[in-house]
Amino acid sequence: MTYTPTELIAFDSLLTEEERAIRDTVRDFCDKELRPHVSGWFDNHEIPRDLGPKLGAMGLLGMHLEGYGCAGTSSVAYGLACMELEAVDSGLRSFVSVQGSLAMYAIHRWGDEDQKQRWLPEMAAGTAIGCFGLTEPDYGSDPAGMRTTARREGDGWVLNGTKTWITNGSLADVMVIWARTEDGYGGFLVEKGTEGVSTTDIHRKVSLRASITSEISLNDVHLPHTSRLPQTDSLRGPLSCLSEARFGIIFGALGAARDCIEQTLGYVQERMVFEKSLASYQLTQAKLADMVLELDKGLLLALQLGRMKDAGDLPPQSISLGKLNSTREALEIARTCRTLLGASGITTEYSPIRHANNLESVLTYEGTAEMHQLILGQALTGEQAFR
Ligand code: TGC
Ligand code: FAD
């Protein structure tokens, strides 16, 4: 296909040469190494075992972090990489988000030097996998209510509680677990094999199937005092990590939308209905025009937020604006593309229904669409309407 919807705003002209080069390299990698296999992974509910080292070798894990083997790219370059990964599948972008923006960022931002040296180089290489345990069975949107506790005992800590819906939970070599402490909330590094930790994978998912999602049980888990991320004492700890991951989703979800439009453009030109190509009907063209409009607006918003982040001034409310817009519009685009594919659109032979199903998760995790509306509502009115 020679036609690229994003060309309508000359998006590339707004990027630096380095950003374009990184984007093109990631796109090439995705097309060769990931795209040919992804619908099989989704169908079989699996991810390849060597995904971590492959993504690590590409410099995609913790790529916007400095030092410790991380690539240290700009936030915009990181966003563009997320877009290319999610153009293949949200599960792949999730893997990178959880590793780099949640688990690695938590250690990088809130950990001490020993913790950083111990984990970050291996995590950047993808030879150690991390997960981020914040959500609990009864506390998803409202993590302040969490029941997981970390109690001091002697020189160390004892953790008890349950975390659920944790991406890469059962794969993780190191879990970043958030728990209630005497002085607020703390982050704890729990290594694979620690006594009292068990994981159970969540099955029967119809979304994010090329991704592992687990429940983590913590039963009298004894940890040394060095396991606590020393600078964490309030929800600022986990919420700062969420800001990082939400940023990646702003770009990522638009990648899924772009892929849907590209697949659909090809299909409607080939498909004959009532003796004419589906592309030649006004209703089809109106759908395509509206989708490209939203995609291009979303790209401009994402890029502006990326530039603000690189300038060191991106407030959480602006991240909510982008996360809400990208996920909501991408989901709508995926569903519309599915309609244009007719019955063919209900199988994973074409990407839109896989993207649409994935985007249901993306709309929900990292703060539901409603949570982001409420964050924006609070910013606009000064009234907090969560509680
Ligand atoms: P609130 O009183 O507003 O804030 C508590 C403390 O945190 C600070 N803060 C932030 N800091 C950095 N970044 C942010 N985005 C921040 N938002 C708030 C705030 O200044 C305060 O600091 P301090 O020092 O004064 O204590 O907290 P609240 O309890 O009222 O909660 C607000 C609310 C509802 C917005 C928050 O709880 C929320 O965002 N809920 C949604 C939960 C969520 O998004 N969970 C995601 C779990 S991880 C996940 O889904 C991974 S998916 C896999 C993938 O990414 O691919
Ligand atoms: P709830 O909080 O129960 O919300 C249910 C509904 O109520 C939603 O529509 C919500 O918007 C609405 N609602 C809630 N509160 C209000 C309110 N005050 N006013 C109005 N409406 C409200 N979590 C992690 O910690 N780590 C992970 O790695 C991780 N990975 C995930 C992977 C997948 C595939 C999925 C689906 C989830 C993952 N999550 C993870 C969990 C995710 O962050 C939560 O699902 C999300 O925060 C929502 O929580 P919940 O599911 O408990 O929904």
mmCIF file of all heavy atoms in Angstrom, residues 57-95:
data_model
loop_
_atom_site.group_PDB
_atom_site.id
_atom_site.type_symbol
_atom_site.label_atom_id
_atom_site.label_comp_id
_atom_site.label_asym_id
_atom_site.label_seq_id
_atom_site.Cartn_x
_atom_site.Cartn_y
_atom_site.Cartn_z
ATOM 1 N N ALA A 57 17.514 -6.535 22.955
ATOM 2 C CA ALA A 57 18.581 -6.338 21.955
ATOM 3 C C ALA A 57 18.270 -5.146 21.057
ATOM 4 O O ALA A 57 19.177 -4.473 20.554
ATOM 5 C CB ALA A 57 18.743 -7.614 21.124
ATOM 6 N N MET A 58 16.996 -4.869 20.863
ATOM 7 C CA MET A 58 16.594 -3.706 20.051
ATOM 8 C C MET A 58 16.658 -2.397 20.845
ATOM 9 O O MET A 58 16.366 -1.328 20.315
ATOM 10 C CB MET A 58 15.140 -3.887 19.562
ATOM 11 C CG MET A 58 14.954 -4.906 18.476
ATOM 12 S SD MET A 58 15.845 -4.451 16.982
ATOM 13 C CE MET A 58 15.008 -2.932 16.508
ATOM 14 N N GLY A 59 16.962 -2.491 22.133
ATOM 15 C CA GLY A 59 17.039 -1.280 22.977
ATOM 16 C C GLY A 59 15.676 -0.738 23.357
ATOM 17 O O GLY A 59 15.536 0.439 23.692
ATOM 18 N N LEU A 60 14.639 -1.603 23.309
ATOM 19 C CA LEU A 60 13.272 -1.110 23.531
ATOM 20 C C LEU A 60 12.825 -1.156 24.994
ATOM 21 O O LEU A 60 11.755 -0.660 25.321
ATOM 22 C CB LEU A 60 12.287 -1.935 22.685
ATOM 23 C CG LEU A 60 12.384 -1.702 21.175
ATOM 24 C CD1 LEU A 60 11.604 -2.754 20.402
ATOM 25 C CD2 LEU A 60 11.860 -0.304 20.837
ATOM 26 N N LEU A 61 13.639 -1.778 25.865
ATOM 27 C CA LEU A 61 13.199 -1.938 27.257
ATOM 28 C C LEU A 61 13.817 -0.838 28.128
ATOM 29 O O LEU A 61 15.032 -0.749 28.246
ATOM 30 C CB LEU A 61 13.581 -3.339 27.756
ATOM 31 C CG LEU A 61 12.986 -4.480 26.909
ATOM 32 C CD1 LEU A 61 13.470 -5.837 27.390
ATOM 33 C CD2 LEU A 61 11.459 -4.419 26.903
ATOM 34 N N GLY A 62 12.964 0.001 28.686
ATOM 35 C CA GLY A 62 13.447 1.157 29.454
ATOM 36 C C GLY A 62 14.171 2.132 28.544
ATOM 37 O O GLY A 62 15.094 2.814 28.970
ATOM 38 N N MET A 63 13.711 2.227 27.290
ATOM 39 C CA MET A 63 14.500 2.970 26.301
ATOM 40 C C MET A 63 14.593 4.463 26.590
ATOM 41 O O MET A 63 15.529 5.120 26.162
ATOM 42 C CB MET A 63 13.991 2.716 24.870
ATOM 43 C CG MET A 63 12.663 3.325 24.516
ATOM 44 S SD MET A 63 12.177 2.875 22.824
ATOM 45 C CE MET A 63 12.979 4.168 21.857
ATOM 46 N N HIS A 64 13.628 5.002 27.349
ATOM 47 C CA HIS A 64 13.673 6.444 27.633
ATOM 48 C C HIS A 64 14.363 6.734 28.965
ATOM 49 O O HIS A 64 14.397 7.890 29.405
ATOM 50 C CB HIS A 64 12.258 7.020 27.616
ATOM 51 C CG HIS A 64 11.338 6.388 28.614
ATOM 52 N ND1 HIS A 64 11.170 5.029 28.737
ATOM 53 C CD2 HIS A 64 10.539 6.937 29.559
ATOM 54 C CE1 HIS A 64 10.314 4.772 29.693
ATOM 55 N NE2 HIS A 64 9.916 5.907 30.211
ATOM 56 N N LEU A 65 14.922 5.694 29.612
ATOM 57 C CA LEU A 65 15.630 5.903 30.877
ATOM 58 C C LEU A 65 17.117 6.094 30.601
ATOM 59 O O LEU A 65 17.639 5.616 29.594
ATOM 60 C CB LEU A 65 15.403 4.700 31.800
ATOM 61 C CG LEU A 65 13.939 4.377 32.121
ATOM 62 C CD1 LEU A 65 13.851 3.142 33.001
ATOM 63 C CD2 LEU A 65 13.248 5.568 32.795
ATOM 64 N N GLU A 66 17.780 6.783 31.523
ATOM 65 C CA GLU A 66 19.222 7.074 31.359
ATOM 66 C C GLU A 66 20.051 6.069 32.147
ATOM 67 O O GLU A 66 19.705 5.720 33.273
ATOM 68 C CB GLU A 66 19.540 8.465 31.924
ATOM 69 C CG GLU A 66 18.965 9.620 31.138
ATOM 70 C CD GLU A 66 19.687 9.861 29.808
ATOM 71 O OE1 GLU A 66 20.825 9.362 29.644
ATOM 72 O OE2 GLU A 66 19.092 10.530 28.945
ATOM 73 N N GLY A 67 21.162 5.644 31.572
ATOM 74 C CA GLY A 67 22.134 4.818 32.287
ATOM 75 C C GLY A 67 21.685 3.369 32.454
ATOM 76 O O GLY A 67 20.642 2.953 31.939
ATOM 77 N N TYR A 68 22.518 2.576 33.147
ATOM 78 C CA TYR A 68 22.189 1.185 33.496
ATOM 79 C C TYR A 68 21.820 0.343 32.267
ATOM 80 O O TYR A 68 20.958 -0.528 32.329
ATOM 81 C CB TYR A 68 21.043 1.134 34.522
ATOM 82 C CG TYR A 68 21.312 1.984 35.725
ATOM 83 C CD1 TYR A 68 20.775 3.272 35.814
ATOM 84 C CD2 TYR A 68 22.120 1.534 36.767
ATOM 85 C CE1 TYR A 68 21.043 4.084 36.909
ATOM 86 C CE2 TYR A 68 22.394 2.341 37.868
ATOM 87 C CZ TYR A 68 21.853 3.605 37.931
ATOM 88 O OH TYR A 68 22.110 4.402 39.007
ATOM 89 N N GLY A 69 22.442 0.639 31.140
ATOM 90 C CA GLY A 69 22.182 -0.150 29.937
ATOM 91 C C GLY A 69 20.952 0.287 29.160
ATOM 92 O O GLY A 69 20.571 -0.364 28.176
ATOM 93 N N CYS A 70 20.309 1.368 29.603
ATOM 94 C CA CYS A 70 19.106 1.848 28.895
ATOM 95 C C CYS A 70 19.531 2.808 27.773
ATOM 96 O O CYS A 70 20.572 3.461 27.859
ATOM 97 C CB CYS A 70 18.168 2.573 29.854
ATOM 98 S SG CYS A 70 17.678 1.544 31.255
ATOM 99 N N ALA A 71 18.670 2.899 26.753
ATOM 100 C CA ALA A 71 19.060 3.655 25.555
ATOM 101 C C ALA A 71 19.049 5.169 25.763
ATOM 102 O O ALA A 71 19.768 5.896 25.082
ATOM 103 C CB ALA A 71 18.155 3.277 24.385
ATOM 104 N N GLY A 72 18.230 5.667 26.682
ATOM 105 C CA GLY A 72 18.212 7.103 26.969
ATOM 106 C C GLY A 72 17.678 7.964 25.825
ATOM 107 O O GLY A 72 18.175 9.062 25.576
ATOM 108 N N THR A 73 16.651 7.467 25.139
ATOM 109 C CA THR A 73 16.086 8.242 24.019
ATOM 110 C C THR A 73 15.132 9.314 24.556
ATOM 111 O O THR A 73 14.802 9.340 25.739
ATOM 112 C CB THR A 73 15.261 7.342 23.073
ATOM 113 O OG1 THR A 73 14.102 6.895 23.793
ATOM 114 C CG2 THR A 73 16.069 6.157 22.578
ATOM 115 N N SER A 74 14.654 10.138 23.633
ATOM 116 C CA SER A 74 13.632 11.126 24.008
ATOM 117 C C SER A 74 12.313 10.410 24.276
ATOM 118 O O SER A 74 12.114 9.248 23.889
ATOM 119 C CB SER A 74 13.433 12.133 22.867
ATOM 120 O OG SER A 74 12.811 11.486 21.762
ATOM 121 N N SER A 75 11.402 11.129 24.931
ATOM 122 C CA SER A 75 10.069 10.568 25.184
ATOM 123 C C SER A 75 9.316 10.377 23.870
ATOM 124 O O SER A 75 8.566 9.418 23.707
ATOM 125 C CB SER A 75 9.265 11.506 26.085
ATOM 126 O OG SER A 75 9.926 11.649 27.302
ATOM 127 N N VAL A 76 9.501 11.309 22.935
ATOM 128 C CA VAL A 76 8.810 11.178 21.643
ATOM 129 C C VAL A 76 9.277 9.902 20.938
ATOM 130 O O VAL A 76 8.459 9.134 20.403
ATOM 131 C CB VAL A 76 9.044 12.416 20.754
ATOM 132 C CG1 VAL A 76 8.570 12.171 19.326
ATOM 133 C CG2 VAL A 76 8.312 13.629 21.346
ATOM 134 N N ALA A 77 10.589 9.644 20.974
ATOM 135 C CA ALA A 77 11.094 8.424 20.325
ATOM 136 C C ALA A 77 10.490 7.189 20.997
ATOM 137 O O ALA A 77 10.103 6.220 20.323
ATOM 138 C CB ALA A 77 12.617 8.372 20.397
ATOM 139 N N TYR A 78 10.389 7.227 22.317
ATOM 140 C CA TYR A 78 9.761 6.112 23.039
ATOM 141 C C TYR A 78 8.298 5.955 22.603
ATOM 142 O O TYR A 78 7.822 4.851 22.336
ATOM 143 C CB TYR A 78 9.861 6.359 24.553
ATOM 144 C CG TYR A 78 9.057 5.396 25.394
ATOM 145 C CD1 TYR A 78 9.275 4.022 25.325
ATOM 146 C CD2 TYR A 78 8.065 5.854 26.270
ATOM 147 C CE1 TYR A 78 8.529 3.136 26.092
ATOM 148 C CE2 TYR A 78 7.323 4.983 27.048
ATOM 149 C CZ TYR A 78 7.556 3.622 26.954
ATOM 150 O OH TYR A 78 6.813 2.750 27.714
ATOM 151 N N GLY A 79 7.596 7.073 22.512
ATOM 152 C CA GLY A 79 6.204 7.019 22.075
ATOM 153 C C GLY A 79 6.076 6.410 20.679
ATOM 154 O O GLY A 79 5.204 5.571 20.423
ATOM 155 N N LEU A 80 6.965 6.817 19.790
ATOM 156 C CA LEU A 80 6.909 6.290 18.412
ATOM 157 C C LEU A 80 7.169 4.785 18.397
ATOM 158 O O LEU A 80 6.544 4.041 17.627
ATOM 159 C CB LEU A 80 7.939 7.011 17.534
ATOM 160 C CG LEU A 80 7.658 8.501 17.290
ATOM 161 C CD1 LEU A 80 8.874 9.177 16.664
ATOM 162 C CD2 LEU A 80 6.414 8.691 16.406
ATOM 163 N N ALA A 81 8.074 4.324 19.272
ATOM 164 C CA ALA A 81 8.323 2.878 19.355
ATOM 165 C C ALA A 81 7.072 2.160 19.856
ATOM 166 O O ALA A 81 6.689 1.098 19.335
ATOM 167 C CB ALA A 81 9.511 2.605 20.281
ATOM 168 N N CYS A 82 6.410 2.763 20.849
ATOM 169 C CA CYS A 82 5.157 2.166 21.358
ATOM 170 C C CYS A 82 4.119 2.077 20.243
ATOM 171 O O CYS A 82 3.363 1.101 20.138
ATOM 172 C CB CYS A 82 4.600 2.994 22.523
ATOM 173 S SG CYS A 82 5.546 2.805 24.040
ATOM 174 N N MET A 83 4.087 3.104 19.400
ATOM 175 C CA MET A 83 3.112 3.127 18.298
ATOM 176 C C MET A 83 3.374 1.974 17.323
ATOM 177 O O MET A 83 2.440 1.291 16.888
ATOM 178 C CB MET A 83 3.190 4.475 17.576
ATOM 179 C CG MET A 83 2.135 4.664 16.526
ATOM 180 S SD MET A 83 1.699 6.392 16.317
ATOM 181 C CE MET A 83 3.176 7.060 15.659
ATOM 182 N N GLU A 84 4.637 1.747 17.014
ATOM 183 C CA GLU A 84 4.953 0.656 16.081
ATOM 184 C C GLU A 84 4.647 -0.702 16.698
ATOM 185 O O GLU A 84 4.133 -1.601 16.027
ATOM 186 C CB GLU A 84 6.430 0.734 15.659
ATOM 187 C CG GLU A 84 6.768 1.970 14.848
ATOM 188 C CD GLU A 84 5.805 2.214 13.688
ATOM 189 O OE1 GLU A 84 5.438 1.254 12.991
ATOM 190 O OE2 GLU A 84 5.384 3.374 13.499
ATOM 191 N N LEU A 85 4.957 -0.862 17.977
ATOM 192 C CA LEU A 85 4.678 -2.146 18.642
ATOM 193 C C LEU A 85 3.175 -2.404 18.703
ATOM 194 O O LEU A 85 2.706 -3.512 18.433
ATOM 195 C CB LEU A 85 5.254 -2.139 20.062
ATOM 196 C CG LEU A 85 6.779 -2.241 20.144
ATOM 197 C CD1 LEU A 85 7.275 -1.750 21.498
ATOM 198 C CD2 LEU A 85 7.229 -3.686 19.898
ATOM 199 N N GLU A 86 2.424 -1.366 19.033
ATOM 200 C CA GLU A 86 0.978 -1.568 19.185
ATOM 201 C C GLU A 86 0.277 -1.671 17.833
ATOM 202 O O GLU A 86 -0.832 -2.209 17.741
ATOM 203 C CB GLU A 86 0.351 -0.473 20.065
ATOM 204 C CG GLU A 86 -1.022 -0.901 20.599
ATOM 205 C CD GLU A 86 -1.399 -0.289 21.935
ATOM 206 O OE1 GLU A 86 -0.562 0.403 22.557
ATOM 207 O OE2 GLU A 86 -2.550 -0.510 22.367
ATOM 208 N N ALA A 87 0.939 -1.179 16.770
ATOM 209 C CA ALA A 87 0.389 -1.411 15.425
ATOM 210 C C ALA A 87 0.383 -2.914 15.141
ATOM 211 O O ALA A 87 -0.411 -3.405 14.338
ATOM 212 C CB ALA A 87 1.210 -0.674 14.378
ATOM 213 N N VAL A 88 1.259 -3.640 15.818
ATOM 214 C CA VAL A 88 1.230 -5.103 15.693
ATOM 215 C C VAL A 88 0.218 -5.671 16.686
ATOM 216 O O VAL A 88 -0.715 -6.382 16.301
ATOM 217 C CB VAL A 88 2.632 -5.719 15.927
ATOM 218 C CG1 VAL A 88 2.585 -7.231 15.735
ATOM 219 C CG2 VAL A 88 3.646 -5.100 14.979
ATOM 220 N N ASP A 89 0.385 -5.344 17.962
ATOM 221 C CA ASP A 89 -0.562 -5.863 18.958
ATOM 222 C C ASP A 89 -0.361 -5.132 20.284
ATOM 223 O O ASP A 89 0.778 -4.910 20.707
ATOM 224 C CB ASP A 89 -0.330 -7.370 19.176
ATOM 225 C CG ASP A 89 -1.474 -8.032 19.920
ATOM 226 O OD1 ASP A 89 -1.446 -8.035 21.165
ATOM 227 O OD2 ASP A 89 -2.405 -8.519 19.257
ATOM 228 N N SER A 90 -1.473 -4.803 20.953
ATOM 229 C CA SER A 90 -1.371 -4.100 22.239
ATOM 230 C C SER A 90 -0.607 -4.930 23.260
ATOM 231 O O SER A 90 0.036 -4.375 24.167
ATOM 232 C CB SER A 90 -2.770 -3.794 22.791
ATOM 233 O OG SER A 90 -3.507 -3.017 21.892
ATOM 234 N N GLY A 91 -0.675 -6.257 23.152
ATOM 235 C CA GLY A 91 0.025 -7.110 24.116
ATOM 236 C C GLY A 91 1.535 -6.900 24.061
ATOM 237 O O GLY A 91 2.212 -6.975 25.091
ATOM 238 N N LEU A 92 2.045 -6.625 22.871
ATOM 239 C CA LEU A 92 3.492 -6.426 22.726
ATOM 240 C C LEU A 92 3.897 -5.076 23.315
ATOM 241 O O LEU A 92 4.909 -4.956 24.007
ATOM 242 C CB LEU A 92 3.901 -6.527 21.255
ATOM 243 C CG LEU A 92 3.530 -7.863 20.604
ATOM 244 C CD1 LEU A 92 3.767 -7.810 19.105
ATOM 245 C CD2 LEU A 92 4.318 -9.006 21.234
ATOM 246 N N ARG A 93 3.083 -4.056 23.044
ATOM 247 C CA ARG A 93 3.362 -2.740 23.656
ATOM 248 C C ARG A 93 3.225 -2.820 25.180
ATOM 249 O O ARG A 93 4.002 -2.217 25.920
ATOM 250 C CB ARG A 93 2.432 -1.671 23.064
ATOM 251 C CG ARG A 93 2.870 -0.235 23.337
ATOM 252 C CD ARG A 93 2.256 0.347 24.602
ATOM 253 N NE ARG A 93 0.840 0.125 24.591
ATOM 254 C CZ ARG A 93 0.158 -0.325 25.640
ATOM 255 N NH1 ARG A 93 0.740 -0.563 26.794
ATOM 256 N NH2 ARG A 93 -1.142 -0.548 25.547
ATOM 257 N N SER A 94 2.251 -3.610 25.636
ATOM 258 C CA SER A 94 2.077 -3.801 27.082
ATOM 259 C C SER A 94 3.334 -4.380 27.706
ATOM 260 O O SER A 94 3.752 -3.963 28.786
ATOM 261 C CB SER A 94 0.948 -4.799 27.333
ATOM 262 O OG SER A 94 -0.147 -4.187 27.893
ATOM 263 N N PHE A 95 3.910 -5.363 27.041
ATOM 264 C CA PHE A 95 5.131 -5.994 27.555
ATOM 265 C C PHE A 95 6.201 -4.925 27.779
ATOM 266 O O PHE A 95 6.857 -4.874 28.821
ATOM 267 C CB PHE A 95 5.622 -7.043 26.534
ATOM 268 C CG PHE A 95 6.725 -7.934 27.040
ATOM 269 C CD1 PHE A 95 6.457 -9.217 27.482
ATOM 270 C CD2 PHE A 95 8.040 -7.489 27.065
ATOM 271 C CE1 PHE A 95 7.476 -10.044 27.947
ATOM 272 C CE2 PHE A 95 9.065 -8.296 27.530
ATOM 273 C CZ PHE A 95 8.785 -9.583 27.973
#
